[in-house]
Amino acid sequence: MNNILDDDLFATHSMGGIINLQQAGIYHNNLKIVTTKYGHIWHILVKDEIQKGVLKIKGVFVYNYVFNKDGFKVQKVANEIPNSDWFDINIIDNNERLILWELN
């Protein structure tokens, strides 16, 4: 099975920030997912250790996702029917200041 997603989907993960904590009283934990194929950016607030959800564009389901300590996976959705394959997406962790990344 070819486990490469051809949708130019990229993700960054950011946590913390002393300024956020001081100003808003929150320690943020966010995912930012970008697709150049659809020209769209999703901002997701991470609330759970294992978080599942859907990524939509104008109300249309495009991907299912799972984010946990092991990484970030997406599943394509077409006509509200999920593809059986899940794709691993490498994440830029803003806290570790990673520079180079790619799709698995």
Side-chain angles (χ1 to χ4, degrees):
M1 174 177 68
N2 183 357
N3 204 23
I4 296 176
L5 185 66
D6 61 353
D7 290 1
D8 292 329
L9 196 65
F10 308 100
T12 58
H13 180 226
S14 62
M15 292 178 63
I18 192 69
I19 294 172
N20 285 68
L21 186 60
Q22 289 172 340
Q23 291 177 349
I26 356 176
Y27 191 74
H28 76 268
N29 186 359
N30 299 310
L31 280 175
K32 178 180 175 182
I33 298 112
V34 178
T35 174
T36 56
K37 178 180 179 178
Y38 298 110
H40 195 80
I41 299 171
W42 294 274
H43 297 273
I44 299 169
L45 178 62
V46 178
K47 296 179 183 181
D48 298 311
E49 286 184 31
I50 299 173
Q51 186 155 324
K52 299 177 182 179
V54 296
L55 301 175
K56 299 185 218 176
I57 298 174
K58 296 183 180 178
V60 176
F61 293 92
V62 182
Y63 302 100
N64 291 321
Y65 75 88
V66 175
F67 176 71
N68 59 31
K69 66 178 176 64
D70 297 324
F72 181 64
K73 294 181 182 276
V74 296
Q75 178 185 48
K76 286 185 179 184
V77 177
N79 299 319
E80 297 189 13
I81 300 170
N83 182 309
S84 60
D85 296 329
W86 284 87
F87 299 92
D88 294 312
I89 306 296
N90 283 345
I91 298 175
I92 294 176
D93 188 329
N94 285 346
N95 300 313
E96 294 177 9
R97 308 266 188 248
L98 294 177
I99 297 171
L100 187 58
W101 49 288
E102 60 185 24
L103 296 176
N104 281 333

